[in-house]
Amino acid sequence: MTTFILNARTVHTDAHGGTTLLDVIRYHEHLPGTKIGCREGDCGACTVLVGEVKDGRVEYRSMTSCLLALANVHGKHIVSVEGLNMDMLSPVQAAMVDESGTQCGFCTPGFVVSLSGCCLTHDKVTYGDAIRAIDGNICRCTGYKSIERAAGIIAEKLSDKDGMNPLAWSVEKGFLPSYFNGIKERLHGIQAKRTSNERPSNGSIIVSGGTDLYVQKHDTMHHSEVSTVFNDETLKGIRIEGDQCLIGGGSVVSDMLASKDLLDHFPNLEKHLLLVSSTPIRNMGTLAGNFVNASPIGDLTVFFLALDSTISLKGKSERDLKLRDLYKGYKQLDKTPDEIVTSVRFKLPGKNTRFNFEKVSKRTHLDIASVNSAARFEMDGDMIREAHVSAGGVAPVPTYLANTCAFLAGKSLDHETVRQAIEVLNAEIAPISDARGTAEYKRLLLRQLFFAHFLELFPERFTLKELVA
Ligand SMILES: Cc1cc2nc3c(=O)[nH]c(=O)nc-3n(C[C@H](O)[C@H](O)[C@H](O)COP(=O)(O)OP(=O)(O)OC[C@H]3O[C@@H](n4cnc5c(N)ncnc54)[C@H](O)[C@@H]3O)c2cc1C
Ligand code: FES
Ligand code: FES
């Protein structure tokens, strides 16, 4: 039995836990405002807000209901577009109407839900924040300018939002219906969390955010036996322990973006992670899901490979494994089906550390990489003391470039070293031609990304002209 609050109403359902929330909303609960576009997380027509109690308050994040397992919403507040309606148009709805932000209207519920999410954040909302909130929503009619104008108006109206209590403020100012005020107490009444002792039953599919599984196994997930780990609090959290950082395997990309500790240690984290998917997918997609999905171009995997990370696995017993040793061949892992990735840990960057992530895709945002790469260098004056370089899209698995790293260690930081390293790198990759480009093109891309690491991290030392000379 799954229990959650859908808009103002508590829903108890014995529908299969693997059913998508989208289908439950539309076909069981008969709320057709949430639209079906792609069913792959790409268009945002099915966006809902998902609220859960954290640190004594209800935190809301946008998610694509087409990829959200019903089991994942137990104990949560789901807001569909119908749940935003009041007697009058809300300022969000009004801005979309006034600026002609809607034409055929198919995408509009998704935009309205995503933009309404801006009311519920604790930070001041800038125009940039409002635009970012809709980075997972696609419109085929308007050309976006009218929607951008609406986003601008909404950001302005939210400029004096009470960041301490955005929910009460939003209700008072007519952004949200009054039933939102009572949600926290109602959620407390619903048991939401799994305990860490509950582990997936034999043969069931481990589901976390579902953003890979529901795209790849769309037809089977809603009747497969699923074990969700998405609500397992023991798999979440970002902790600093001495010189190590430990991140729960169930943490989502947005958790990393919200972590002050990580932002302090990785000044370019936002730039790097905004290249990964879109806001609603970053709110759902977990680190463990990215590692175990084992896509040769997984961005997070490539990111953490270059941090020389170690993952912890829990099955019948517990063990640690270098992330780079997880991958044995295309989608083949050193992991039993019942083992859960509980966390990933790595040494925090020190003052002599340089870290960079690069990604090339057909479009900058909401696209998977053609080739990606990350690099971590530990410097000792002009010498590279230690190097960790990873790449995606150039082999059947996300790759830690062990030979290139070994070659770079102990070398002086100069153009000749980088040029020689390219030779080593080329010998240890095996790209194939596919929809994202030919093998030769991918080799060329990785060479450019490798150069980009040095240009980005040591701009005073390197020029592209000399690197390609
Ligand atoms: C529109 C869209 C855009 C995307 N863009 C990007 C992108 O730019 N870059 C990128 O790298 N990825 C992208 N992805 C892929 C996806 O979002 C990520 O790979 C995400 O991190 C997967 O995490 P998840 O929790 O959703 O995994 P799920 O789909 O829940 O699971 C994926 C796999 O991991 C297993 N699993 C999940 N959690 C655990 C655990 N704790 N222990 C053991 N096994 C586990 C599952 O059994 C399954 O085999 C995109 C996906 C979509 C739909
Ligand atoms: S239907 Fe397109 S993102 Fe869900
Ligand atoms: S108004 Fe038609 S898709 Fe956006």
Side-chain angles (χ1 to χ4, degrees):
M1 179 67 76
T2 306
T3 303
F4 62 101
I5 303 172
L6 176 58
N7 301 327
R9 196 161 49 84
T10 302
V11 174
H12 304 281
T13 171
D14 57 7
H16 190 279
T19 312
T20 63
L21 177 67
L22 173 62
D23 290 328
V24 173
I25 290 175
R26 284 181 62 90
Y27 304 127
H28 301 201
E29 301 303 322
H30 308 292
L31 293 176
T34 307
K35 299 294 180 223
I36 305 173
C38 61
R39 275 198 189 266
E40 292 200 348
D42 274 318
C43 74
C46 67
T47 306
V48 293
L49 296 178
V50 180
E52 62 181 309
V53 181
K54 278 189 185 152
D55 301 326
R57 56 197 193 191
V58 192
E59 302 282 351
Y60 288 87
R61 282 177 168 173
S62 61
M63 299 191 190
T64 54
S65 61
C66 65
L67 305 180
L68 195 52
L70 175 63
N72 281 359
V73 306
H74 181 67
K76 298 186 183 171
H77 181 211
I78 303 300
V79 185
S80 74
V81 71
E82 291 90 347
L84 299 168
N85 288 341
M86 293 167 282
D87 292 342
M88 310 280 284
L89 291 182
S90 76
V92 174
Q93 294 164 330
M96 286 289 278
V97 172
D98 294 347
E99 293 304 317
S100 307
T102 176
Q103 286 185 23
C104 82
F106 196 79
C107 68
T108 311
F111 275 99
V112 168
V113 169
S114 296
L115 285 167
S116 297
C118 291
C119 310
L120 293 160
T121 59
H122 294 275
D123 300 322
K124 291 265 174 263
V125 177
T126 62
Y127 173 69
D129 296 329
I131 294 295
R132 187 160 134 187
I134 49 175
D135 62 7
N137 296 86
I138 287 176
C139 174
R140 300 304 296 266
C141 302
T142 61
Y144 293 108
K145 288 300 157 202
S146 50
I147 297 174
E148 287 169 17
R149 282 196 304 274
I153 291 172
I154 293 160
E156 212 176 294
K157 293 201 165 161
L158 289 172
S159 60
D160 60 344
K161 182 176 65 172
D162 176 2
M164 293 303 286
N165 198 348
L167 208 154
W169 183 92
S170 297
V171 169
E172 192 195 319
K173 301 287 176 185
F175 278 89
L176 296 173
S178 57
Y179 75 82
F180 270 80
N181 276 332
I183 292 296
K184 188 171 98 181
E185 284 64 37
R186 291 173 62 190
L187 288 181
H188 274 310
I190 305 171
Q191 180 61 38
K193 309 285 182 257
R194 284 164 47 95
T195 70
S196 55
N197 296 328
E198 286 178 60
R199 286 297 167 202
S201 51
N202 270 349
S204 63
I205 301 175
I206 299 170
V207 181
S208 208
T211 62
D212 279 319
L213 282 169
Y214 279 88
V215 174
Q216 291 160 14
K217 300 185 179 178
H218 167 71
D219 292 338
T220 51
M221 285 303 289
H222 49 108
H223 52 76
S224 300
E225 199 192 328
V226 296
S227 292
T228 181
V229 292
F230 194 58
N231 296 335
D232 188 337
E233 287 299 315
T234 65
L235 301 181
K236 296 186 201 287
I238 299 176
R239 283 203 313 277
I240 306 293
E241 291 176 356
D243 65 351
Q244 301 279 311
C245 178
L246 195 137
I247 308 183
S251 303
V252 297
V253 184
S254 298
D255 294 332
M256 289 179 67
L257 281 166
S259 162
K260 193 176 168 318
D261 282 332
L262 284 182
L263 291 167
D264 283 349
H265 284 93
F266 295 89
N268 288 324
L269 190 73
E270 193 164 83
K271 178 178 138 193
H272 295 152
L273 293 186
L274 290 186
L275 296 176
V276 179
S277 59
S278 59
T279 297
I281 303 298
R282 287 191 290 271
N283 288 339
M284 301 166 76
T286 61
L287 305 193
N290 203 272
F291 301 158
V292 175
N293 183 49
S295 162
I297 44 154
D299 289 321
L300 302 174
T301 308
V302 163
F303 191 97
F304 282 92
L305 278 172
L307 289 171
D308 197 26
S309 305
T310 299
I311 56 170
S312 296
L313 295 142
K314 189 169 181 178
K316 289 184 183 63
S317 57
E318 293 181 42
R319 66 190 174 110
D320 286 350
L321 185 70
K322 280 278 183 196
L323 178 58
R324 68 176 102 134
D325 294 331
L326 180 65
Y327 304 104
K328 296 292 165 203
Y330 180 68
K331 300 265 177 184
Q332 288 175 348
L333 303 179
D334 178 359
K335 174 189 156 322
T336 57
D338 67 325
E339 275 183 312
I340 300 272
V341 176
T342 53
S343 64
V344 57
R345 68 167 191 277
F346 58 90
K347 190 166 182 256
L348 282 165
K351 69 177 185 342
N352 296 321
T353 309
R354 303 285 179 276
F355 178 83
N356 189 41
F357 172 76
E358 298 283 342
K359 170 175 177 176
V360 174
S361 44
K362 285 189 175 169
R363 58 178 182 209
T364 310
H365 295 288
L366 195 43
D367 202 1
I368 49 175
S370 300
V371 173
N372 50 12
S373 176
R376 174 180 180 144
F377 301 116
E378 300 297 335
M379 300 304 298
D380 192 349
D382 285 348
M383 193 188 74
I384 304 171
R385 189 164 46 77
E386 220 179 275
H388 300 285
V389 186
S390 61
V394 291
V397 296
T399 308
Y400 178 82
L401 298 166
N403 296 343
T404 309
C405 299
F407 173 82
L408 285 169
K411 296 281 187 319
S412 66
L413 183 71
D414 56 42
H415 289 89
E416 192 49 31
T417 297
V418 177
R419 276 195 293 268
Q420 287 176 8
I422 283 285
E423 304 286 314
V424 182
L425 181 153
N426 261 318
E428 68 173 327
I429 60 173
I432 53 165
S433 301
D434 62 16
R436 286 185 291 274
T438 62
E440 294 72 34
Y441 172 65
K442 291 180 192 175
R443 271 187 195 280
L444 178 64
L445 277 188
L446 182 57
R447 186 191 77 149
Q448 299 303 89
L449 296 191
F450 190 65
F451 288 164
H453 291 316
F454 291 92
L455 291 166
E456 177 76 21
L457 296 175
F458 310 99
E460 69 291 353
R461 303 293 291 263
F462 291 94
T463 64
L464 184 58
K465 202 169 156 204
E466 272 192 80
L467 280 171
V468 296

